[in-house]
Amino acid sequence: MRHSCDIAIVGSGILGVSISFWLSKLYDCSILLIDKEGGVAHHTSSRNTGVVHRPFYLNPEKKKIFARCSQNSYTLWSKLALKFNLPWRQLGTIEVALDDSQIPTLEKYKRWSLANGMEEWETEILNAKEVREIEPEVECAGAIYSKTDTCVDYGEFTRCVFNLAEKNGVKFLGNCDVVGIEENGECGVVMLHARELENSSRAKGENNAHEARGKRFISEIECRLLINAAGGCSLDLAHQMGLAKNLTDLHFRGEYWVVSEPFASKIRRNVYSVAKYPEFPFLDPHFIVRASGRREIGPNAVLVSGPGAYSGLSSSKKELLEKIFERPLSPKIKLFTSRKFLALAWKEWRSSFSKSAMCGRVKQFIPALEEKFLVERGLSGIRSSVIDESGFVPEALVLESEKSLHVINYNSPGATGAPSFSAYVVSVLKEKGFLDSFTKKKKIAQEEDHSELWNFEFATKNL
Ligand SMILES: Cc1cc2nc3c(=O)[nH]c(=O)nc-3n(C[C@H](O)[C@H](O)[C@H](O)COP(=O)(O)OP(=O)(O)OC[C@H]3O[C@@H](n4cnc5c(N)ncnc54)[C@H](O)[C@@H]3O)c2cc1C
């Protein structure tokens, strides 16, 4: 099978789908959205906490792009939810200080919320008594209450944006695992080699497309521009093109437990605790309210060997060995010789196999929570964090070659910021001349344009 298109996007998570939306809204060109799964949003984009995070906790300088993307995207998501009647539960988040030493962090968050464009009324610092007045089960030294944090279902959001992109002409190629990429500078094309996979892995109760399904090396896809939005696999694809050779990644499984009634409904908002080790991807699990109303605790961050390891340590021994010996080795060696990292990683593993350890982490701020209230496991999701010689890379990275653009390390609050971050990716493509050879679409009258509810100028405001 041979396919050809102007733009190929690998990865139909919330990021790849949103990029396809903007490109198809703005340009007259053929766009192929490719995924190894049979439909969109099969991985992290459907396996997360489901919170539209307001940017009060994001450093306006060090996390500038993510902070601004979160701010712009809040309006874009709320418009989409309203127009298509998608769940939108604006319940708010209480982020608690576990002791007095964390109170200054709350004050810093208040300043950051304003610097990131939130309105004064949206956040409020509460003392311990004020927290108990609105959430009697929560004990802490104080908290910041972010009133506009919202619980949603990002899988549904992604499918909705995909429907709009399809109406704009985007084509989807599913069950297609991209395994090789070659850039041919002379012909001005990129050639993707892909294995077409049979059936959905989920139908077999397995999670890793690479391991679970039949493999046939049959597809070749030729494109003029490649966009790599392959989530936990995007660094591997970038490596194939000779990019980011100094970087590697680690995968952390975030697990959840469902909290039973009647205790669950005693808590009405999301409850997070201030991160003790912001330099590592380890937060204590939160108490969360799902868009469906279900209450859960989680996620922890259990080190596993790949982006499809939804249970156990690894999807296969081969994957584990490849991960251990994957180059570059030195960032991993540095991290694995850090006692602090190892101690924290062990704590996460403990809360994976011990329900009581998981419960204990949330009991720090909800003391009445009992192990017997945790009745079943929720859906886990995997975060892929990029590391270099100096540790975890804090922001998403956008890398380019002559005919391709790669987004790596696209982590939380990636789902929140996707409408705006994807527009930012398109503006980078525009600026660097990647889109010069494509014809711009004529502007359609607003009332006829089903996709006008997302405006590009608004999405890229202040970026
Ligand atoms: C536990 C957890 C909780 C989170 N909670 C939140 C939250 O509350 N709020 C928030 O804003 N963010 C949250 N996030 C972050 C957010 O979910 C992610 O940033 C976002 O979903 C990433 O989207 P993506 O499109 O980059 O990746 P994905 O959704 O993983 O999509 C990547 C796609 O690429 C495909 N793919 C990969 N390799 C190949 C290949 N070789 N060939 C073809 N296809 C390929 C995959 O099948 C997949 O569909 C959370 C993340 C985790 C892990």
Side-chain angles (χ1 to χ4, degrees):
M1 282 279 270
R2 206 180 161 96
H3 306 266
S4 122
C5 60
D6 291 322
I7 304 178
I9 301 173
V10 182
S12 69
I14 204 161
L15 182 64
V17 166
S18 305
I19 294 172
S20 80
F21 167 82
W22 289 118
L23 286 171
S24 60
K25 177 175 156 68
L26 300 171
Y27 291 89
D28 235 336
C29 57
S30 55
I31 300 171
L32 199 57
L33 187 60
I34 304 165
D35 205 288
K36 63 185 178 186
E37 303 296 345
V40 306
H42 267 267
H43 288 278
T44 323
S45 299
S46 288
R47 294 169 161 269
N48 51 45
T49 304
V51 175
V52 177
H53 291 292
R54 304 294 285 120
F56 67 91
Y57 65 98
L58 296 172
N59 185 321
E61 274 135 38
K62 291 192 184 139
K63 297 225 169 185
K64 185 173 131 193
I65 295 289
F66 259 31
R68 292 184 177 181
C69 286
S70 297
Q71 179 63 7
N72 294 347
S73 297
Y74 170 72
T75 307
L76 299 174
W77 283 135
S78 69
K79 278 185 169 188
L80 191 90
L82 188 67
K83 167 104 181 162
F84 295 101
N85 205 15
L86 302 173
W88 182 264
R89 290 171 75 109
Q90 193 162 291
L91 301 173
T93 293
I94 295 182
E95 179 135 350
V96 300
L98 295 173
D99 56 46
D100 287 342
S101 71
Q102 292 184 328
I103 299 288
T105 307
L106 305 178
E107 284 150 9
K108 181 175 74 184
Y109 284 175
K110 177 74 196 179
R111 291 194 298 278
W112 285 359
S113 72
L114 300 174
N116 288 330
M118 290 177 73
E119 292 189 29
E120 168 66 39
W121 66 268
E122 287 185 277
T123 55
E124 190 179 347
I125 297 204
L126 306 175
N127 62 31
K129 183 166 164 276
E130 288 164 333
V131 172
R132 267 197 308 278
E133 274 162 18
I134 57 169
E135 288 294 357
E137 299 297 335
V138 175
E139 274 197 18
C140 58
I144 183 162
Y145 176 21
S146 173
K147 298 173 191 173
T148 43
D149 274 43
T150 303
C151 309
V152 300
D153 179 338
Y154 282 118
E156 273 201 52
F157 275 22
T158 310
R159 284 183 285 279
C160 183
V161 178
F162 174 65
N163 288 338
L164 298 178
E166 250 192 334
K167 284 192 185 139
N168 289 341
V170 171
K171 298 268 178 295
F172 179 72
L173 186 62
N175 293 320
C176 189
D177 184 12
V178 174
V179 289
I181 309 175
E182 281 168 62
E183 198 164 14
N184 186 334
E186 272 173 34
C187 308
V189 293
V190 183
M191 190 64 88
L192 307 182
H193 304 283
R195 291 173 183 142
E196 198 169 285
L197 302 159
E198 294 156 12
N199 305 323
S200 162
S201 53
R202 231 151 303 278
K204 297 179 186 173
E206 293 170 62
N207 292 306
N208 188 329
H210 288 278
E211 300 306 321
R213 290 185 272 166
K215 295 167 191 168
R216 282 185 296 153
F217 188 73
I218 53 165
S219 290
E220 287 206 324
I221 303 148
E222 187 186 277
C223 61
R224 289 161 66 197
L225 171 63
L226 163 72
I227 298 169
N228 167 8
C233 302
S234 59
L235 184 61
D236 297 342
L237 293 184
H239 279 169
Q240 286 202 23
M241 297 196 77
L243 297 168
K245 289 286 194 188
N246 60 326
L247 303 177
T248 184
D249 54 4
L250 293 177
H251 309 281
F252 297 92
R253 183 175 62 234
E255 301 165 333
Y256 300 85
W257 278 93
V258 177
V259 183
S260 66
E261 297 295 352
F263 182 78
S265 291
K266 287 186 177 175
I267 302 164
R268 291 172 37 223
R269 299 164 182 84
N270 299 311
V271 189
Y272 282 51
S273 58
V274 169
K276 281 186 225 143
Y277 308 100
E279 71 278 26
F280 292 122
F282 304 126
L283 310 173
D284 272 319
H286 335 297
F287 183 96
I288 56 162
V289 183
R290 293 277 179 197
S292 62
R294 190 161 92 168
R295 270 63 164 167
E296 294 184 17
I297 62 163
N300 51 4
V302 183
L303 188 60
V304 292
S305 68
Y310 292 119
S311 61
L313 170 63
S314 182
S315 304
S316 68
K317 277 190 195 140
K318 184 170 163 265
E319 182 189 75
L320 180 61
L321 287 172
E322 279 174 2
K323 189 74 215 169
I324 293 172
F325 295 108
E326 183 187 62
R327 286 174 189 276
L329 287 172
S330 57
K332 271 183 281 183
I333 294 174
K334 265 198 168 164
L335 207 54
F336 284 89
T337 47
S338 150
R339 277 171 177 245
K340 191 170 169 192
F341 175 78
L342 290 178
L344 292 171
W346 167 244
K347 188 172 160 197
E348 300 292 336
W349 256 105
R350 225 170 80 75
S351 69
S352 176
F353 52 75
S354 158
K355 187 162 58 158
S356 102
M358 183 80 160
C359 181
R361 297 179 71 180
V362 179
K363 259 170 121 51
Q364 292 177 95
F365 48 92
I366 305 181
L369 181 74
E370 290 183 34
E371 202 184 321
K372 66 177 185 213
F373 301 155
L374 306 180
V375 283
E376 58 174 303
R377 283 188 185 267
L379 193 67
S380 57
I382 295 181
R383 154 211 286 248
S384 301
S385 297
V386 169
I387 53 171
D388 63 14
E389 291 285 342
S390 42
F392 287 90
V393 174
E395 275 257 41
L397 300 173
V398 179
L399 311 170
E400 61 192 89
S401 73
E402 209 181 318
K403 292 276 161 203
S404 67
L405 196 107
H406 305 253
V407 182
I408 57 174
N409 207 31
Y410 192 68
N411 288 315
S412 192
T416 299
S420 183
F421 193 86
S422 54
Y424 166 73
V425 169
V426 172
S427 65
V428 171
L429 288 168
K430 253 169 130 178
E431 256 170 47
K432 309 242 166 180
F434 282 98
L435 301 174
D436 288 353
S437 60
F438 304 122
T439 320
K440 280 195 185 144
K441 270 190 179 165
K442 288 203 190 82
K443 222 173 168 11
I444 314 170
Q446 201 149 326
E447 61 278 11
E448 290 169 37
D449 185 359
H450 56 266
S451 58
E452 186 47 34
L453 80 158
W454 277 12
N455 174 285
F456 188 74
E457 282 68 40
F458 181 86
T460 48
K461 200 172 68 172
N462 299 326
L463 296 182

